[in-house]
């Protein structure tokens, strides 16, 4: 009887093209575009080259998501990279992914976004000097705690909040673009004369500039987490990806042109919060509006990160790769509170030592490491299993190109300018194997874990959630 019932519970395919585009666009346009321009420019050295980097990031992301679109139509399960790696490279690598994702990548993302939120909240009060670091971190921590509480208490509220923030960020970008266009027409184009001089051409500066740029594009693979809800995925997945990412790339380029029109490259690099500096120059005494809009945008993407974070935990705990407690939901409120609390605690730990740039660099490093593995999985499926039904195909050259780019992105900072931190991150990713063998393969010390789970279940009032996938 139960089996019949669970069959009927599969999600309805309700997300159309417009929904898909706004899902991708909404998660991509986050805090990045208000924080990364100065770091991209700083790493690469010249305005012209920084625009080239932004365009290339967009192109790379479009190609990568085409490859993901094929994966999404061959392996039709929600769960993104985790499921793809599980089905192509096996459980050990998939566990490494989930281990570093839950313990580091997602919390680092949350910490990075909350830091940019905090920068924008305090920026109007410190117009002449950079704000004190401690204050920024306290504001960031407060933001994380507030959002975690909201998401633990009520899902609906956090979704309705999302739409409001989406409007705020699109308006902010529109204001920046129109303002920049007006200034350009008035003839402010000093930044674009000899725009390629002082370019740093080296492996490391290009790699780091890409890390900072790609941080702003993060979220391009979100549609793959909900493949099962898309109408006609073989048509709509590639279409949505192309439309959404082209739009976002266009927006980002226009915004960067606008920043550079209003500010000299040096001013842009020294600013701790670009949109505020821009606002003070263009809107004068109304400059604080930009700060509010940027803060709202960051807050919105922080909320989105929390909201989607529970999903991967669910899938992993179902496969037995995560403690069961993380896949439980609150009895009455039906929110995945244990997973949220866990992410919150680790985000706060990452926040204490980290500064924005290094958090972003390690985040991108880890993310692209796993994108490379996912893409090699796609190559494996293309070569070894050509008979699988594929409603949507990409030419084999695409995954090869993106794979080369991903490998370059992972190796670039290490080869050119080896920092000890990258070694730590790599060791951390590999330490997943050491945990996998005793605890998951051989299931050691289950007794202790069972007791702990029961205690936490009673304490947090949670029960195992039936995930209707």
């Amino acid at each position: 009887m139960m089996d019949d019932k669970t069959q009927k519970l599969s999600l309805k395919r309700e997300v159309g093209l417009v929904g898909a585009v706004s899902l991708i666009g909404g998660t991509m346009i986050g805090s990045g575009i208000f924080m990364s321009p100065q770091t991209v420019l700083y790493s690469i050295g010249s305005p012209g080259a920084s625009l080239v980097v932004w365009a290339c990031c967009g192109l790379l992301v479009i190609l990568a998501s085409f490859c993901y679109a094929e994966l999404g139509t061959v392996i039709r399960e929600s769960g993104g990279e985790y499921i793809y790696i599980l089905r192509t490279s096996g459980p050990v690598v998939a566990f490494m992914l989930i281990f570093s994702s839950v313990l580091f990548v997602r919390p680092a993302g949350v910490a990075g976004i909350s830091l940019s939120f905090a920068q924008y909240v305090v920026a109007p009060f410190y117009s002449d000097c950079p704000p004190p670091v401690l204050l920024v971190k306290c504001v960031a921590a407060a933001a994380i705690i507030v959002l975690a509480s909201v998401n633990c208490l009520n899902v609906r509220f956090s979704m309705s909040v999302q739409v409001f923030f989406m409007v705020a960020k699109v308006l902010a970008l529109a204001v920046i673009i129109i303002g920049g266009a007006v200034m350009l027409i008035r003839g402010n184009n000093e930044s674009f004369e000899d725009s390629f001089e002082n370019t740093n051409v080296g492996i490391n500066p290009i790699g780091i500039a890409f890390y900072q740029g790609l941080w702003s594009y993060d979220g391009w693979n979100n549609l793959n987490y909900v493949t099962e809800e898309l109408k006609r995925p073989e048509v709509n997945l590639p279409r949505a990806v192309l439309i959404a990412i082209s739009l976002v790339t266009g927006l980002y380029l226009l915004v960067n042109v606008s920043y550079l029109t209003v500010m000299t490259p040096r001013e842009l690099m020294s600013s701790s919060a670009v949109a505020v500096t821009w606002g003070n120059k263009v809107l004068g005494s109304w400059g604080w509006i930009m700060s509010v809009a940027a803060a709202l945008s960051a807050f919105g993407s922080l909320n989105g990160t929390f909201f989607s974070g529970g999903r991967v935990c669910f899938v992993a705990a179902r496969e037995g790769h995560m403690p069961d407690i993380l896949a439980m939901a609150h009895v009455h409120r039906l929110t995945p509170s244990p997973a949220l609390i866990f992410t919150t605690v680790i985000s706060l730990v990452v926040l204490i030592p980290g500064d924005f740039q290094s958090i972003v660099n390690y985040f991108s490093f880890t993310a692209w490491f796993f994108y490379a593995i996912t893409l090699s999985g796609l190559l494996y499926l293309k070569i070894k299993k050509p008979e699988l039904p594929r409603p949507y195909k990409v030419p084999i050259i695409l995954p090869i190109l993106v794979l080369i780019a991903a490998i370059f992105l992972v190796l670039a900072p290490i080869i050119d300018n080896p920092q000890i931190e990258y070694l730590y991150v790599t060791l951390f990713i590999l330490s997943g194997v050491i945990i996998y063998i005793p605890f998951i393969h051989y299931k050691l010390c289950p007794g202790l874990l069972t007791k702990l789970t029961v205690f936490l279940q009673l304490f947090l009032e949670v029960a195992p959630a039936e995930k209707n996938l």
Side-chain angles (χ1 to χ4, degrees), residues 7-266:
Q7 289 302 301
K8 292 192 189 106
L9 258 177
S10 65
L11 292 176
K12 297 192 185 75
R13 293 186 179 274
E14 283 183 345
V15 180
L17 189 60
V18 180
V21 169
S22 55
L23 177 76
I24 303 177
T27 39
M28 272 168 69
I29 306 174
S31 55
I33 187 59
F34 300 110
M35 286 295 278
S36 297
Q38 65 263 49
T39 20
V40 174
L41 185 59
Y42 179 75
S43 318
I44 202 86
S46 73
S50 80
L51 290 177
V52 173
V53 167
W54 282 97
C56 290
C57 285
L59 186 66
L60 176 63
V61 164
I62 288 184
L63 294 181
S65 36
F66 277 161
C67 300
Y68 265 57
E70 172 169 338
L71 270 168
T73 52
V74 177
I75 303 173
R76 293 180 158 220
E77 290 177 73
S78 291
E81 285 94 357
Y82 171 71
I83 287 286
Y84 303 151
I85 292 180
L86 185 67
R87 299 282 176 264
T88 54
S89 317
V92 180
V93 188
F95 177 74
M96 271 162 59
L97 163 79
I98 197 78
F99 174 77
S100 42
S101 161
V102 171
L103 273 183
F104 174 73
V105 178
R106 191 164 290 282
V110 169
I113 300 173
S114 67
L115 270 175
S116 46
F117 166 74
Q119 285 276 12
Y120 274 103
V121 170
V122 298
F125 303 106
Y126 295 88
S127 51
D128 309 324
C129 55
V133 177
L134 186 66
L135 177 69
V136 173
K137 290 203 170 160
C138 290
V139 174
I144 293 179
I145 293 168
V146 166
L147 265 183
S149 326
V150 168
N151 273 298
C152 281
L153 293 176
N154 189 337
V155 181
R156 276 223 188 86
F157 180 69
S158 73
M159 269 332 275
S160 52
V161 168
Q162 215 41 26
V163 178
F164 169 67
F165 288 129
M166 178 77 205
V167 176
K169 59 190 154 196
V170 173
L171 280 178
L173 291 181
V175 169
I176 290 180
I177 291 168
I178 294 164
V182 171
M183 297 298 257
L184 250 183
I185 296 164
R186 286 191 192 161
N188 285 23
N189 52 5
E190 297 88 49
S191 301
F192 302 111
E193 290 153 14
D194 326 316
S195 60
F196 282 91
E197 68 180 341
N198 309 337
T199 308
N200 303 328
V201 181
I203 298 180
N204 192 38
I206 294 178
I208 295 290
F210 263 91
Y211 274 1
Q212 296 286 340
L214 286 164
W215 160 263
S216 304
Y217 285 98
D218 184 59
W220 52 271
N221 51 0
N222 268 16
L223 206 51
N224 285 63
Y225 292 99
V226 292
T227 353
E228 303 181 3
E229 298 167 56
L230 259 183
K231 293 179 198 156
R232 296 175 54 214
E234 63 282 355
V235 182
N236 282 338
L237 229 168
R239 263 190 207 167
V241 157
L242 190 61
I243 296 172
I245 299 172
S246 319
L247 275 175
V248 171
T249 309
L251 274 179
Y252 281 3
L253 281 171
L254 289 169
V255 167
N256 271 294
V257 170
S258 171
Y259 283 155
L260 286 163
T261 311
V262 175
M263 294 174 250
T264 61
R266 179 152 297 139

